[in-house]
Amino acid sequence: MTITLDETHESEHEFARSSGLTGLTTGTLAAIRAAKPGYDVARGKRFLAFRERIATHLLRHRAIVANGYTAWFRQGTQNAAQLRDFIVQFSVFSNLFLIAQLHKMINADTLAGMRASKEILANEIGVTLRPGARAAAAPGRPAGDPGFIAAEGTVQGGTFRFEAAHFEWLLHAAEQVGLGFNELGRRRFGSRATLFFCDELTRLYGGEDYEVSQAASYAVENWAAAGFWKELIEGFRRYNEAHRMQIPLGFFIWHDRLEAQHAAHTQEELEDYYFHAPLDEDAFIRCGNEMLDGVAAFWDGLDAQRHVLAG
Ligand SMILES: [Fe+2]
């Protein structure tokens, strides 16, 4: 008899209910049933309790649930100086993120981890992802237009194109508001708040201690999936409309698409991590919060500056 995928899911569901493990992903449930090393019912229950702690003491951080800056940005009422400041600070973050990502890659504790970090780094600097869902190329769009570059897949076998570097997408937007290459991306253009955030990324997300970097990664991923990309896109759309401009939004739209499908995997990743090695739960929550404090500092810096530039 062949067991279909649906039947498998049904039986995992039944198993989860009878063992008090509802909420675990099917992969983890199957591993517990198969008594894989590290997987058992007691640990499953401890994980569910840990997830509750994370929900309460990490994922409710104001950087995730109450971003006043992006809520304001979304309205599209910013003046040109405020919009330029946003693009400059974001370009600094975008570039200095490469340093944090490189540290993360170097400090990986497995080859698979190193490759996962390398994927992100290579993609950032211009290696397109494949295969995955590649939207049909619209005629007349330049090569490297994020509007038709896949937001899922792998860099393995992907093509490098200068134009596909995320920084270059942001440069296109910057040029529309009168900013040149020489006003973007470098450390010297970052505000104190932006640099604090970027340095925290290198220290925590790119940290040598694997547990610290895992906690920071988890925090950053949940922040990135929390919807701020959509608020930025909405703000740009409204700004474009109000000023009859055509600032290209590819940079923001692409990242939003990427996060939307990445969000689905964060729980699986956390479970994988939790069941594979003993974990200091307190340290995980503390480091995650430290990372989110850095994120909040970045948005707070932008928020303070937009008040300065309001007049
Ligand atoms: Fe990016």
Side-chain angles (χ1 to χ4, degrees):
M1 192 186 94
T2 337
I3 296 173
T4 66
L5 195 63
D6 272 0
E7 282 165 352
T8 310
H9 279 206
E10 190 43 49
S11 66
E12 300 308 1
H13 194 69
E14 198 40 56
F15 169 69
R17 206 163 32 207
S18 61
S19 356
L21 294 175
T22 300
L24 291 178
T25 61
T26 50
T28 299
L29 288 167
I32 291 175
R33 285 180 88 185
K36 274 198 181 173
Y39 289 83
D40 57 56
V41 171
R43 197 157 172 76
K45 286 182 175 164
R46 278 204 304 279
F47 174 80
L48 288 172
F50 179 46
R51 208 184 57 177
E52 280 301 304
R53 280 188 71 193
I54 289 179
T56 311
H57 298 292
L58 182 59
L59 301 181
R60 292 222 292 253
H61 192 288
R62 69 189 181 92
I64 293 178
V65 299
N67 188 331
Y69 179 79
T70 51
W72 165 79
F73 192 97
R74 181 179 170 278
Q75 299 166 26
T77 55
Q78 50 277 79
N79 63 36
Q82 289 168 325
L83 192 67
R84 276 197 290 272
D85 181 58
F86 166 76
I87 292 177
V88 171
Q89 296 310 313
F90 216 85
S91 74
V92 173
F93 153 54
S94 189
N95 255 358
L96 297 192
F97 172 73
L98 298 175
I99 296 175
Q101 190 63 41
L102 183 62
H103 277 263
K104 189 170 169 60
M105 185 196 93
I106 291 168
N107 290 324
D109 72 337
T110 60
L111 181 59
M114 174 175 267
R115 286 184 174 188
S117 285
K118 209 172 275 182
E119 290 261 17
I120 295 172
L121 189 58
N123 179 248
E124 275 291 328
I125 65 171
V127 183
T128 51
L129 298 176
R130 54 158 289 194
R134 179 181 291 261
R141 293 182 106 161
D145 181 336
F148 67 92
I149 286 179
E152 58 185 309
T154 171
V155 295
Q156 176 89 314
T159 307
F160 172 80
R161 288 207 299 258
F162 288 115
E163 299 84 359
H166 299 186
F167 182 81
E168 296 205 14
W169 299 344
L170 194 54
L171 178 61
H172 293 315
E175 284 167 341
Q176 292 296 311
V177 296
L179 287 163
F181 181 87
N182 266 313
E183 296 166 279
L184 299 165
R186 274 173 283 161
R187 190 173 176 91
R188 53 189 270 225
F189 304 128
S191 69
R192 265 179 59 190
T194 299
L195 297 181
F196 174 74
F197 170 43
C198 294
D199 292 343
E200 285 292 87
L201 274 171
T202 298
R203 180 176 77 86
L204 299 165
Y205 176 87
E208 283 183 41
D209 182 331
Y210 185 65
E211 285 209 4
V212 171
S213 77
Q214 280 300 304
S217 280
Y218 182 78
V220 164
E221 279 159 16
N222 279 282
W223 160 56
F228 77 82
W229 290 109
K230 283 186 173 49
E231 292 181 305
L232 297 178
I233 292 164
E234 182 66 21
F236 272 109
R237 283 212 172 107
R238 289 183 180 177
Y239 186 90
N240 272 342
E241 238 172 67
H243 299 265
R244 294 205 185 85
M245 289 179 73
Q246 292 191 327
I247 302 168
L249 305 185
F251 175 89
F252 301 97
I253 291 169
W254 189 91
H255 284 94
D256 181 50
R257 283 211 316 253
L258 178 76
E259 293 311 334
Q261 40 104 9
H262 192 206
H265 302 300
T266 53
Q267 157 99 7
E268 271 169 55
E269 284 165 8
L270 182 65
E271 287 182 21
D272 273 352
Y273 178 57
Y274 188 89
F275 285 91
H276 275 100
L279 171 83
D280 182 339
E281 298 184 7
D282 294 338
F284 187 93
I285 289 185
R286 193 179 58 244
C287 292
N289 274 296
E290 271 178 55
M291 188 66 257
L292 293 178
D293 289 346
V295 170
F298 173 64
W299 296 115
D300 287 349
L302 280 163
D303 205 48
Q305 192 58 17
R306 67 126 170 145
H307 285 293
V308 172
L309 297 171

